[in-house]
Amino acid sequence: MRHISRIGLYAFRRFAQLTFCTLVVLSANAQPLTGQHYELELRPDFKAGVLHGRARIRLQAEPGSGDVLVLRSPKLHIHRASLDGEPRPLEQARGGWRIPLTNAQTKASSLMLELDYHAEAAAGLVFGEDYVYTAFFTCHWMPCAGPDLSRATIAIRLELPAGYRSVASGQLATEGTPGRHEWQQTQPYPLYTLGFTAGHFNEVVDSEKAPRLRFLGIDQADTALRAKFKESARVLSFFEDKAGLPLPHPTYTQVLVPGGVAQEASSFSLIGTRMLDPILDDPKEDWVIAHEMAHQWWGNLITCATWSDFWLNEGLTVFMTAAWKQHRWGEDAYQREMVLAQQRWQSAKEADFDKPLSWPGNYPSLKSKRAIHYSKGALFFDTLRGELGEQAFWDGLRRYTRNNAGRSVRAADLQVAMEASAGRSLQTLFDAWVY
Ligand SMILES: [Zn+2]
């Protein structure tokens, strides 16, 4: 067994046994937790489209924690639960699973939760004939003892057919016995960025020098993978320069799968052929490589503390994709991205749904939310850049990135960094766009 470096627990206050309190804790804005460690043994059944799992979760009690443990994974089929080796009953409740604690367990400072479960294909758990991947909805394929924005460390052991390849959050820990792939994420990352993919992939490694760039693809020859991901090394050095920090992983894997997915995860990204294949006709069609790679810094390493600040992840990533295009393909390519963002923001205005970037309310649709978080967010970074000038803006972005690496952030963290570089208050600008 590997060393458990960080532990965490999620238990309820006594009153939270009531259903209405459960809903409060399960809401998207519940307080993110830190310090949990997950160990998963996963065996995908590709024919049935089912993932069989065993989880060991190290939980640490918070002061005043209560007598029910709640898992935010209603779609999982959990067959067995134990706490510190003691079998516990399970109740399926709206929004999750509840495990009552014994008296002694309510007083324990830490607990080991063990579960046997299986998950069926769902949003966030996608099966093909010879591949499987997870995307964003972490609680659909593993038991989550906390909100999606909680940071956790994880170790994933995959049992796979011979000849299959894999990637999971973190780095390959051991080759192990044939068919057994062990991955470890030793820095805590948000739950929604944790995941894995496995399949009958072809593999190309672009460079053995760190950081290593690795490409995986279904039905993709080496030459095709190399051609499609040709720009990756250049994108990487551009972002490392602008972030002021190296890529936070020794290896970064881009996985090409059928369909239209475009999803970042810690240490890897999933890219659908529909998103990337246009690059064969027009090399400027590289946005998906840039966008998902940018998330390794902005989104994964530095994450919004609440979903209402999701624009800090996405607005910055859309902007950085445009900045990459400007660097690689020229001013017109940058302006095209800004015009597109203007058009999308305009559609939100026309629908009478223009909101401040950090607006905490509910959007009527994903489209209107994206118009604000992605498009207006990118335009705000472009406006900041115009206001501060090149040197102060990029200095401010590096300051923001370095100061917040590994942290969860709010809009004020960006403001502090930009003001330090500008040498003046930006309150009026932030009031107009953000708050
Ligand atoms: Zn994104």
Side-chain angles (χ1 to χ4, degrees):
M1 266 313 155
R2 61 195 63 85
H3 173 67
I4 295 166
S5 58
R6 296 181 65 105
I7 54 178
L9 166 73
Y10 185 45
F12 266 147
R13 291 178 192 281
R14 187 163 291 273
F15 63 72
Q17 278 190 321
L18 301 171
T19 307
F20 75 91
C21 291
T22 305
L23 295 176
V24 172
V25 174
L26 297 177
S27 77
N29 282 325
Q31 198 59 30
L33 302 170
T34 53
Q36 305 150 303
H37 178 76
Y38 291 77
E39 291 186 8
L40 305 177
E41 290 174 29
L42 303 174
R43 186 175 55 79
D45 180 336
F46 294 90
K47 250 201 190 100
V50 169
L51 180 68
H52 297 277
R54 173 164 290 181
R56 284 164 54 83
I57 311 172
R58 171 60 73 180
L59 307 159
Q60 186 179 336
E62 293 178 347
S65 58
D67 50 14
V68 177
L69 186 66
V70 172
L71 300 170
R72 297 177 55 259
S73 295
K75 283 181 188 289
L76 291 191
H77 302 267
I78 303 181
H79 317 140
R80 183 190 70 84
S82 74
L83 278 165
D84 281 351
E86 197 173 327
R88 297 303 299 149
L90 282 153
E91 293 165 29
Q92 200 160 14
R94 205 177 136 200
W97 288 86
R98 295 154 55 88
I99 303 168
L101 306 181
T102 63
N103 254 346
Q105 285 163 351
T106 59
K107 296 182 187 91
S109 59
S110 77
L111 290 169
M112 177 62 81
L113 172 64
E114 291 183 74
L115 302 163
D116 287 340
Y117 69 95
H118 75 267
E120 285 157 10
L125 178 63
V126 178
F127 277 92
E129 221 168 82
D130 56 355
Y131 66 88
V132 59
Y133 66 81
T134 64
F136 189 79
F137 298 99
T138 305
C139 303
H140 290 185
W141 62 269
M142 73 171 222
C144 291
D148 299 326
L149 290 171
S150 306
R151 284 181 180 266
T153 51
I154 193 167
I156 295 179
R157 188 163 87 193
L158 291 158
E159 302 281 342
L160 297 173
Y164 275 44
R165 291 191 167 95
S166 70
V167 61
S169 290
Q171 301 296 309
L172 192 63
T174 57
E175 296 283 343
T177 50
R180 183 176 287 184
H181 305 219
E182 298 194 29
W183 294 84
Q184 276 189 47
Q185 175 77 70
T186 55
Q187 296 298 313
Y189 271 78
L191 292 186
Y192 82 92
T193 72
L194 303 179
F196 74 93
T197 175
H200 202 252
F201 292 123
N202 193 21
E203 177 185 45
V204 165
V205 176
D206 191 39
S207 158
E208 281 299 346
K209 73 174 198 280
R212 205 164 150 259
L213 291 173
R214 182 174 175 239
F215 318 133
L216 297 178
I218 289 286
D219 300 327
Q220 303 283 331
D222 285 11
T223 46
L225 283 174
R226 283 187 194 283
K228 292 177 188 180
F229 288 111
K230 196 171 75 165
E231 289 297 325
S232 300
R234 269 192 261 225
V235 180
L236 174 67
S237 28
F238 176 75
F239 288 151
E240 287 189 327
D241 174 44
K242 295 304 183 197
L245 280 181
L247 185 85
H249 305 282
T251 299
Y252 172 63
T253 306
Q254 293 172 96
V255 188
L256 193 56
V257 291
V261 68
Q263 180 65 49
E264 76 278 14
S266 70
S267 80
F268 71 98
S269 292
L270 290 157
I271 294 176
T273 46
R274 214 161 60 229
M275 299 296 171
L276 188 58
D277 282 2
I279 207 168
L280 296 175
D281 296 324
D282 179 358
K284 292 179 184 162
E285 288 293 332
D286 56 6
W287 71 268
V288 69
I289 293 176
H291 183 107
E292 304 313 331
M293 197 191 291
H295 275 312
Q296 296 300 319
W297 291 268
W298 306 288
N300 298 357
L301 183 66
I302 301 168
T303 316
C304 54
T306 67
W307 288 118
S308 52
D309 273 331
F310 193 45
W311 68 274
L312 290 168
N313 297 9
E314 295 298 346
L316 183 47
T317 300
V318 173
F319 169 79
M320 288 307 299
T321 301
W324 153 254
K325 283 176 171 283
Q326 182 183 38
H327 170 80
R328 178 73 177 94
W329 308 112
E331 186 59 24
D332 284 358
Y334 178 75
Q335 293 305 337
R336 249 196 313 278
E337 296 301 307
M338 290 303 123
V339 167
L340 200 59
Q342 281 285 2
Q343 288 166 353
R344 288 172 180 163
W345 183 22
Q346 184 60 31
S347 72
K349 289 179 184 169
E350 281 163 12
D352 213 13
F353 220 85
D354 183 18
K355 297 290 176 193
L357 288 169
S358 294
W359 184 63
N362 293 322
Y363 288 89
S365 65
L366 190 59
K367 189 183 169 206
S368 63
K369 186 178 178 169
R370 286 188 165 168
I372 303 302
H373 284 171
Y374 287 64
S375 304
K376 184 178 178 176
L379 290 162
F380 176 58
F381 283 98
D382 177 59
T383 303
L384 266 176
R385 184 184 190 180
E387 187 83 18
L388 270 65
E390 284 300 282
Q391 197 179 329
F393 173 78
W394 291 112
D395 177 64
L397 188 72
R398 288 187 188 102
R399 190 185 294 260
Y400 167 71
T401 309
R402 287 198 193 110
N403 289 355
N404 295 295
R407 289 187 57 226
S408 300
V409 289
R410 294 172 187 275
D413 295 303
L414 176 69
Q415 188 178 344
V416 165
M418 287 295 173
E419 285 181 343
S421 286
R424 63 188 161 91
S425 168
L426 297 169
Q427 194 62 47
T428 311
L429 192 66
F430 273 75
D431 281 341
W433 285 78
V434 177
Y435 303 124

